[in-house]
């Protein structure tokens, strides 16, 4: 079951106009919200990021947080999986094709869900392969825009090289990956690129930093050089679906000893603990 503009229906019945600016220009923003045991994870944070994306491109938020919560809750209840990935998209709406943002459109609101599949125990043992590519995307990667052509091109290049992810560098510094944030570990210190217009402010990135702080694990949020990425003891990618996934080869070369490292495994375990604790907490309005 999906939601489109106020109605719930099977996905096959959903219709939008070919003049929707989401279709014509990629003029929209989105969120992906993980839901564990049918409970959305960090929903207020996802809704705050949605608001920031909408503000950045001048679309008025079509719903208050309480209405979004209701829609997400209904989508989760209306789909068969215990763990789900809820996709939520807002486009500027339907108008005659014109680059200038038309005023006063009714935004198109779409939600759907799919089964949330997190990295298998097998993959956590071996870690993932990644390639390093130049970050040729635009300079507003902080906006969670549906215009993802650059990300799709980079991810496809990674897949064609047999890799799970493309890790991106711009002007000699690590930015993020095609659909995840990146952390590196050197001599026991975790390094994370700071939030800026060059990376998406990941919800998982924030949880990982909270975990590092709470457990007094040495870490620095600062620009990370490409040379530091390439000589790291550990590299991890983080996202709502990949959680904290060790990367054990970069461009075919082993990262450290070529196995998931101790810091990443610890943070992965702490992330699982945190999830379990949040999911056990009483539901409040
Ligand atoms: C480009 C990019 N960076 C980072 C992330 C991680 O964000 P989150 O942790 O909120 O899933 C994503 C998520 O899909 C992404 O597409």
């Amino acid at each position: 079951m999906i939601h489109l503009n106020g109605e719930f229906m099977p996905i096959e019945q959903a219709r939008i106009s070919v003049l929707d600016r989401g279709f014509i220009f990629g003029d929209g923003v989105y969120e992906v919200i993980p839901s564990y045991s049918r409970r959305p994870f960090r929903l207020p944070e996802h809704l705050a990021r949605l608001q920031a994306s909408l503000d950045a491109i001048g679309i008025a938020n079509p719903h208050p947080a309480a209405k979004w919560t209701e829609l997400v809750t209904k989508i989760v209840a209306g789909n068969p999986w215990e763990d789900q990935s809820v996709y939520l998209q807002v486009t500027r709406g339907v108008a005659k094709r014109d680059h200038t943002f038309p005023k006063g459109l009714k935004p198109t609101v779409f939600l759907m869900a799919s089964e949330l599949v997190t990295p298998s125990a097998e993959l956590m043992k071996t870690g993932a392969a990644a390639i390093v590519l130049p970050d040729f995307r635009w300079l507003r990667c902080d906006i969670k825009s549906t215009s993802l052509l650059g990300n799709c091109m980079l991810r496809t290049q990674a897949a064609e090289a047999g890799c799970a992810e493309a890790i991106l560098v711009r002007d000699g510094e690590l930015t993020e990956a095609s659909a995840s944030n990146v952390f590196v570990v050197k001599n026991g210190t975790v390094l994370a690129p700071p939030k800026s217009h060059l990376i998406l402010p990941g919800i998982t990135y924030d949880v990982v930093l909270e975990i590092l702080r709470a457990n007094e694990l040495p870490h620095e949020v600062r620009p990370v050089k490409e040379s530091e990425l390439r000589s790291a003891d550990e590299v991890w990618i983080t996202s709502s679906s990949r959680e904290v996934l060790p990367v054990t080869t970069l461009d075919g070369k082993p990262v450290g000893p070529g196995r998931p490292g101790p810091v990443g495994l610890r943070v992965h375990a702490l992330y699982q603990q945190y999830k379990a604790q949040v999911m056990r907490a009483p539901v409040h309005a």
Side-chain angles (χ1 to χ4, degrees):
M1 182 189 76
I2 66 102
H3 172 94
L4 181 64
N5 295 331
E7 286 179 54
F8 291 88
M9 63 189 84
I11 195 159
E12 297 76 22
Q13 284 173 23
R15 298 282 179 272
I16 59 156
S17 166
V18 292
L19 287 179
D20 193 286
R21 290 181 60 93
F23 179 60
I24 298 279
F25 291 116
D27 183 359
V29 297
Y30 75 108
E31 277 297 319
V32 177
I33 305 151
S35 171
Y36 304 104
S37 307
R38 299 192 179 270
R39 287 178 66 171
F41 181 70
R42 292 241 158 177
L43 185 55
E45 288 82 355
H46 280 280
L47 294 179
R49 187 173 64 184
L50 173 67
Q51 184 69 56
S53 296
L54 289 168
D55 289 347
I57 67 166
I59 296 179
N61 194 334
H63 296 310
K67 178 71 181 178
W68 282 121
T69 303
E70 180 195 317
L71 293 177
V72 170
T73 306
K74 283 191 175 156
I75 282 292
V76 169
N79 281 287
W81 312 283
E82 282 306 296
D83 292 345
Q84 297 178 31
S85 183
V86 178
Y87 178 89
L88 176 172
Q89 170 171 330
V90 180
T91 77
R92 197 174 306 274
V94 179
K96 181 171 174 292
R97 186 177 182 279
D98 176 5
H99 285 58
T100 310
F101 293 157
K103 290 201 173 23
L105 300 186
K106 191 171 178 306
T108 301
V109 174
F110 171 55
L111 288 91
M112 65 177 171
S114 56
E115 185 174 18
L116 175 59
V117 182
T118 53
S120 62
E122 197 77 354
L123 182 58
M124 284 306 299
K125 269 200 214 110
T126 59
I131 54 172
V132 181
L133 293 176
D135 192 345
F136 57 64
R137 301 171 304 159
W138 69 335
L139 296 174
R140 290 306 308 272
C141 296
D142 54 321
I143 302 173
K144 202 162 169 63
S145 162
T146 58
S147 307
L148 286 173
L149 193 52
N151 304 61
C152 293
M153 289 167 72
L154 293 158
R155 172 60 75 82
T156 301
Q157 213 178 314
E160 284 172 356
C163 289
E165 190 48 300
I167 293 181
L168 308 177
V169 291
R170 192 194 287 265
D171 299 330
E173 285 177 5
L174 167 66
T175 54
E176 57 177 348
S178 75
S180 47
N181 291 109
V182 181
F183 291 75
V184 311
V185 183
K186 188 70 188 173
N187 299 328
T189 300
V190 183
L191 306 177
K195 287 183 186 172
S196 75
H197 59 290
L198 299 179
I199 71 170
L200 187 81
I203 304 298
T204 320
Y205 168 104
D206 281 342
V207 175
V208 166
L209 282 177
E210 282 174 31
I211 287 173
L212 294 171
R213 253 181 255 125
N215 292 276
E216 295 177 3
L217 297 171
H219 63 280
E220 291 173 23
V221 177
R222 60 149 174 91
V224 177
K225 293 198 183 66
E226 178 176 353
S227 55
E228 293 178 298
L229 166 71
R230 292 190 184 275
S231 62
D233 301 325
E234 298 183 27
V235 174
W236 330 321
I237 52 177
T238 69
S239 78
S240 294
S241 56
R242 284 178 155 165
E243 302 188 327
V244 182
L245 177 62
V247 168
T248 45
T249 67
L250 273 186
D251 290 341
K253 298 188 197 77
V255 176
R259 290 185 305 277
V263 189
L265 291 177
R266 170 115 194 262
V267 172
H268 178 266
L270 290 165
Y271 188 84
Q272 300 308 318
Q273 264 176 37
Y274 175 80
K275 259 169 54 182
Q277 173 198 322
V278 169
M279 293 304 121
R280 275 197 309 271
V283 182
H284 50 269

